[in-house]
């Protein structure tokens, strides 16, 4: 039999155990909800991580292409410098070629013949003073001599003309090459700038994914902290339950000893109730631990 104080302690302990049982059930449900939330956040984190990988790989590819374009631009600059030097060389060669021609070689027979015809027409259609007539006749004689020389040098003049045209063609070709290389460089520079803009856009996208990933990690950490807090509270309640159960067992053992001492062979009426309460508490403590995989 229990004393009045022990009976009161027994009732208080049983009431406390029921409260612990109710609180443990509530906390277990809450922890399951938090674990489900944490798993959802983990899945979202994984999805964000996978999404981040694609832009990162794309950035690497674009940056590599940008670098290759930079190398090509450097090569184009060298080509342009060589082409400009070729233009200068061709221009100098043309000037030197022109200077190598005698001034008289530049006159063609056709030009001299046209001038002679003009002078003869003037002589025939104008009444000139004697001194002007003599000067005109002398000029005609000189131009006829020049025509003879020009006709003799026509082959040389033709060769010089060919060389001049070839030199001018080389100058034009060299300038065209400079223009082509310059145009190619401008187009490639525009493409490289566009590539860098694309790289920046991808980096912004990847940065957004990283920021979202960090935010999701903080959110998950906050939920994990709540899980830990609930688990700590459950651990404390379980310790309290075991302590109360130990006290109950100690009082029952003391009561049994008293009953056996005064009434051997009799089982106290409350023994069945004590056994049921102990079984319930043992079941409660078994359910106390809820793993993250539960």
């Amino acid at each position: 039999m229990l004393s009045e104080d022990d009976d009161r302690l027994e009732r208080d302990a049983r009431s406390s155990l029921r409260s612990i049982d109710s609180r443990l059930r509530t906390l277990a449900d809450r922890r399951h909800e938090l674990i489900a939330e944490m798993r959802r956040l983990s899945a979202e984190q994984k999805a964000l991580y996978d999404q981040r990988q694609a832009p990162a790989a794309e950035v690497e590819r674009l940056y590599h292409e940008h670098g290759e374009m930079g190398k090509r631009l450097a090569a184009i600059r060298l080509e342009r410098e060589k082409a400009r030097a070729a233009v200068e060389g061709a221009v100098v060669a043309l000037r030197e070629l022109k200077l190598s021609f005698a001034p008289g070689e530049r006159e063609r027979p056709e030009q001299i013949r046209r001038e002679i015809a003009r002078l003869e027409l003037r002589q025939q259609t104008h009444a000139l003073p004697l001194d002007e007539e003599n000067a005109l006749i002398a000029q005609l004689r000189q131009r006829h001599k020049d025509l003879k020389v020009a006709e003799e040098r026509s082959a040389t003049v033709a060769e010089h003309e060919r060389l001049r045209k070839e030199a001018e063609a080389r100058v034009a070709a060299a300038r065209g090459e400079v223009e082509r290389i310059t145009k190619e460089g401008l187009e490639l520079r525009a493409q490289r700038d566009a590539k860098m803009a694309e790289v920046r856009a991808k980096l912004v996208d990847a940065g957004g994914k990283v920021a979202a990933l960090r935010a999701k990690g903080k959110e998950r950490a906050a939920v994990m902290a709540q899980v830990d807090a609930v688990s700590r509270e459950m651990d404390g309640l379980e310790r309290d339950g075991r302590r109360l159960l130990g006290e109950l067992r100690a009082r029952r053992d003391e009561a049994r000893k008293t009953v056996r001492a005064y009434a051997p062979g009799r089982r106290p009426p409350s023994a069945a109730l004590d056994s049921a309460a102990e079984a319930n508490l043992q079941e409660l403590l078994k359910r106390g631990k809820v793993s993250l995989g539960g």
Side-chain angles (χ1 to χ4, degrees):
M1 298 295 293
L2 296 175
S3 67
E4 183 177 348
D5 290 340
D6 288 340
D7 188 56
R8 179 179 54 79
L9 292 174
E10 183 85 2
R11 290 194 302 272
D12 291 344
R14 293 181 182 278
S15 176
S16 296
L17 286 173
R18 285 192 294 271
S19 297
I20 289 173
D21 179 57
S22 177
R23 182 58 179 165
L24 280 173
R25 292 176 187 274
T26 301
L27 290 175
D29 292 340
R30 175 57 179 162
R31 187 164 65 172
H32 280 299
E33 292 174 359
L34 290 172
I35 290 173
E37 177 69 8
M38 189 172 63
R39 287 173 176 169
R40 181 185 66 80
L41 292 173
S42 296
E44 292 178 358
Q45 265 189 307
K46 179 63 168 58
L48 286 171
Y49 178 80
D50 293 339
Q51 294 172 14
R52 174 180 174 271
Q53 295 304 101
E58 185 69 7
V59 165
E60 289 297 325
R61 182 185 67 80
L62 293 173
Y63 193 74
H64 175 72
E65 292 178 0
H66 181 272
E68 292 300 316
M69 288 181 177
K71 294 178 182 178
R72 176 57 186 155
L73 277 175
I76 286 176
R77 282 193 291 269
L78 292 177
E79 292 177 11
R80 186 175 58 190
E81 292 302 319
K82 292 179 180 179
R84 285 175 174 173
V87 170
E88 293 177 0
V91 169
V92 170
L94 176 60
R95 290 173 182 171
E96 291 177 349
L97 181 63
K98 288 181 178 180
L99 291 175
S100 67
F101 301 159
E105 293 179 357
R106 299 177 185 177
E107 287 188 316
R108 297 180 182 179
E110 293 81 6
Q111 294 175 335
I112 299 174
R113 290 191 188 99
R114 285 194 295 270
E115 186 178 352
I116 290 173
R118 181 179 57 80
L119 292 174
E120 288 177 346
L121 179 62
R122 183 182 180 192
Q123 183 185 26
Q124 294 169 5
T125 58
H126 290 76
L128 300 173
L130 183 59
D131 55 346
E132 290 185 14
E133 181 76 16
N134 292 334
L136 182 57
I137 292 171
Q139 187 178 4
L140 281 169
R141 288 174 181 172
Q142 181 60 45
R143 296 309 289 166
H144 278 290
K145 292 178 181 179
D146 294 339
L147 176 59
K148 184 178 180 180
V149 172
E151 288 175 344
E152 292 174 352
R153 294 179 176 176
S154 59
T156 302
V157 172
E159 179 63 15
H160 288 176
E161 183 67 13
R162 184 185 66 79
L163 293 176
R164 180 185 65 79
K165 288 182 178 179
E166 290 179 354
E168 289 176 347
R170 285 192 290 272
V171 171
R175 286 174 175 166
E177 182 67 6
V178 170
E179 292 177 359
R180 183 194 67 78
I181 294 173
T182 300
K183 181 180 179 181
E184 182 183 355
L186 291 174
E187 291 176 351
L188 186 59
R189 186 180 298 276
Q191 293 174 8
R192 189 184 67 162
D193 292 342
K195 192 71 67 176
M196 179 52 69
E198 194 174 355
V199 168
R200 292 193 184 99
K202 292 294 182 181
L203 286 174
V204 170
D205 184 27
K209 292 290 192 304
V210 171
L213 192 62
R214 289 175 179 172
K216 196 65 66 177
K218 290 180 180 179
E219 190 176 353
R220 182 181 180 278
V223 173
M224 187 64 189
Q226 294 181 54
V227 172
D228 292 340
V230 170
S231 297
R232 286 193 297 271
E233 185 176 354
M234 291 179 72
D235 290 341
L237 289 172
E238 289 175 359
R239 285 193 298 272
D240 291 343
R242 291 190 180 91
R243 178 181 56 78
L244 290 173
L245 182 60
E247 293 174 356
L248 281 173
R249 286 174 175 171
R251 281 193 292 272
R252 285 198 299 270
D253 290 344
E254 186 65 26
R256 290 191 187 97
K257 291 178 181 179
T258 302
V259 169
R260 283 195 295 269
Y262 291 95
R266 292 185 59 188
R267 182 178 178 85
S270 61
L273 296 176
D274 292 343
S275 298
E278 183 175 350
N280 288 337
L281 184 58
Q282 290 292 345
E283 180 65 22
L284 167 68
L285 294 178
K286 288 179 181 179
R287 293 196 309 269
K289 291 292 183 181
V290 180
S291 66
L292 292 182

